[in-house]
Amino acid sequence: MNLYNTLTKKVEEFIPNESGIVKMYTCGPTVYNYAHIGNLRTYIFEDVLQKGLEYLGYDVKRVMNITDVGHLTSDADTGEDKMSKGAKREGKTVYEIADFYTRAFLNDMDELNIKRPSTIEKASDHIDTYIKMIEKMLDDGYAYVSNGNVYFDISKAWDYYKLSGKNPEDLMIGVRDTVEEDSSKKNPADFVLWFTLSKFENQVMKWDSPWGVGYPGWHIECSGIASLTLGDKIDIHCGGVDNIFPHHTNEIAQSEAYFGHKWCNYWCHGAHLNDKSGKMSKSKGEFLTLSLLKDKGYSPLDYRYFCLGSHYRNSLVFSYDSLDIAKNSLNKLRNRVSKLEKDGDIDNDKLSSYVEKFKNAFSNDINTSMMLTVLYDVLKDEAMNEATKYKLVEEFDGVLSLNLTNVEATVVSEELEREILSKIEERKEAKRDKNFELADQIRDELLSKGVRLIDSREGTSYELI
Ligand code: AMP
Ligand code: ZN
């Protein structure tokens, strides 16, 4: 297995600390609003990573946190508290907000066939762990109390900039230009481990601590939950690229200070999903959610297929045209699979050669589009019997999770497909002849049979409704 490691900035062979076991930590959502489909892209890539490793034979212990406290509207220690902001917006308590959006997120995960991590922990449930860690960092001189807050002293960290590749001068410029200065800090990039000097008088989630009533910083929750559930060393830590700095940089600083040794060997970051106007973000107000896609007639797995078509390290621009193409391709794929004869002898040579190709595609830094190509090659291989093809599709779908063998509703008979394709051709000619009345008539006729035509720049596709 080869993986791109943000820490070393190269693709490396993956070797876990303990043979056969992978300890994987994935940062979870901040539950003050619905997840947007950009967030969900990151969870889909992490899911493929987990399932692919399991397919290779590893036992994956995956942990995810739910951020229900400590994340401010800026990823640095400034701005409003995200949870309080959500509560104010909806006239609910922070606990109600956290509960509602946690459920909504888990539901999105289920609908996208994302396997639930073996352990999911709420940040607010582990305050004692953070306090214990902070106390040790204070004792060992990595942290200091100033003006009521506890800060991590980044000058004491072991190579603070190793993950982000940033340098102190960059940060100084960033601090001067964009972040409100905090005169309590020794170094401008020091970050808060524990807030008592709350800017938010109405902060609801507060706990007693040796430094006064307050709440933990955002970064300590991931170090704390990881230490509690996975021990002092982890193999893979994932998130979106926006997590590299400051969140993961600060997680490394704290965890290595606390444990006194290197903490995580492989850091994997997914590139962003953007919309045409730029990065998708929950704080922008209107944003794309899975429910919105469903309202528009797409299934969550159409979106999963759309994501698998591109590499997780390439940023991806969302458009409905591309989602239409994904939907149509997935439908056709399921249709082809549904026609395969399931019973019969398995050709073991063919089986193992394609399994190897699929595993190689995955092992090549999670090359999902190559994994899909191997699947299509299986279906195209005329020298392979159908039972072997079906078995391979079933196996590969264990990683791709596109319900290739268990969705009947979207299946189109060969006869209907021929008819639809010939009608699409007829409609194209009508449009070419500027006979729009006939073109609309054909569209409506198909619609009355439950077939919706989708026009895009790439041509016309269809979906069953
Ligand atoms: P949040 O709920 O903001 O803490 O983010 C949850 C996850 O989504 C984190 O791993 C982020 O790095 C990731 N993320 C945020 N924005 C995007 C985006 N536009 N595309 C892909 N992943 C994102
Ligand atoms: Zn985290």
Side-chain angles (χ1 to χ4, degrees), residues 26-43 46 67 71 75 82 105 218 238-244 248 269-275 278-282 303 316:
T26 50
C27 289
T30 310
V31 284
Y32 71 111
N33 210 331
Y34 291 106
H36 59 60
I37 58 172
N39 301 131
L40 297 173
R41 181 188 186 204
T42 294
Y43 297 107
E46 293 166 351
T67 300
H71 196 175
D75 279 353
K82 286 192 179 188
F105 171 72
W218 171 37
C238 301
V241 282
D242 57 302
N243 283 159
I244 297 173
H248 289 167
H269 292 101
H272 275 173
L273 179 81
N274 301 314
D275 56 24
K279 188 193 150 195
M280 216 164 273
S281 125
K282 287 190 227 179
Y303 179 64
L316 180 60

Side-chain angles (χ1 to χ4, degrees), residues 2 57 75 84 88 95 129 139 160 215 235 246 282 288 290 319 335 349 377 430:
N2 291 310
D75 279 353
S84 306
K88 221 187 296 166
Y95 291 98
T129 303
D139 287 348
Y160 181 68
Y215 61 99
D235 297 299
K282 287 190 227 179
L288 289 167
L290 200 62
S319 76
N335 204 13
D349 289 343
D377 287 346

Side-chain angles (χ1 to χ4, degrees), residues 126-134 223-225 227-228 258:
H126 298 288
I127 302 299
D128 291 355
T129 303
Y130 319 141
I131 290 179
K132 189 183 85 189
M133 288 178 86
I134 296 168
S223 293
I225 290 172
S227 76
L228 200 67
Y258 179 69

Side-chain angles (χ1 to χ4, degrees), residues 254-408:
Q254 300 158 155
S255 296
E256 297 193 345
Y258 179 69
F259 291 121
H261 57 68
K262 188 175 179 192
W263 176 49
C264 173
N265 289 334
Y266 300 88
W267 288 84
C268 300
H269 292 101
H272 275 173
L273 179 81
N274 301 314
D275 56 24
K276 282 183 189 131
S277 63
K279 188 193 150 195
M280 216 164 273
S281 125
K282 287 190 227 179
S283 50
K284 268 192 188 170
E286 279 255 303
F287 56 85
L288 289 167
T289 60
L290 200 62
S291 322
L292 188 76
L293 297 189
K294 284 195 293 179
D295 289 347
K296 288 184 184 289
Y298 299 97
S299 91
L301 297 187
D302 296 336
Y303 179 64
R304 185 173 172 111
Y305 186 95
F306 164 78
C307 290
L308 297 185
S310 64
H311 194 258
Y312 76 97
R313 281 199 291 122
N314 292 335
S315 50
L316 180 60
V317 175
F318 176 80
S319 76
Y320 283 107
D321 283 353
S322 316
L323 190 60
D324 285 337
I325 294 168
K327 181 181 183 69
N328 197 32
S329 306
L330 179 57
N331 219 3
K332 281 191 186 152
L333 184 57
R334 287 190 184 136
N335 204 13
R336 280 170 81 176
V337 173
S338 74
K339 288 173 192 147
L340 293 175
E341 185 55 60
K342 300 182 186 78
D343 301 321
D345 293 337
I346 300 297
D347 178 341
N348 284 317
D349 289 343
K350 278 276 183 196
L351 188 93
S352 49
S353 105
Y354 277 105
V355 165
E356 195 184 323
K357 282 184 192 161
F358 187 81
K359 286 184 175 174
N360 284 343
F362 169 73
S363 301
N364 182 9
D365 194 23
I366 328 175
N367 192 336
T368 46
S369 64
M370 183 59 79
M371 290 155 81
L372 285 171
T373 302
V374 176
L375 174 73
Y376 280 106
D377 287 346
V378 164
L379 293 171
K380 273 193 296 205
D381 188 336
E382 288 176 2
M384 185 171 12
N385 69 38
E386 297 204 344
T388 310
K389 288 186 183 188
Y390 190 83
K391 179 142 182 40
L392 281 165
V393 172
E394 262 186 330
E395 282 210 16
F396 297 170
D397 204 30
V399 180
L400 301 170
S401 300
L402 293 166
N403 289 7
L404 296 179
T405 56
N406 52 3
V407 170
E408 298 299 335

Side-chain angles (χ1 to χ4, degrees), residues 197-233:
L197 194 68
S198 174
K199 292 186 283 297
F200 321 111
E201 281 170 16
N202 301 329
Q203 181 77 22
V204 179
M205 288 188 174
K206 287 190 266 206
W207 295 266
D208 223 351
S209 83
W211 317 286
V213 175
Y215 61 99
W218 171 37
H219 318 296
I220 191 73
E221 69 182 64
C222 286
S223 293
I225 290 172
S227 76
L228 200 67
T229 52
L230 295 171
D232 66 342
K233 283 185 184 159

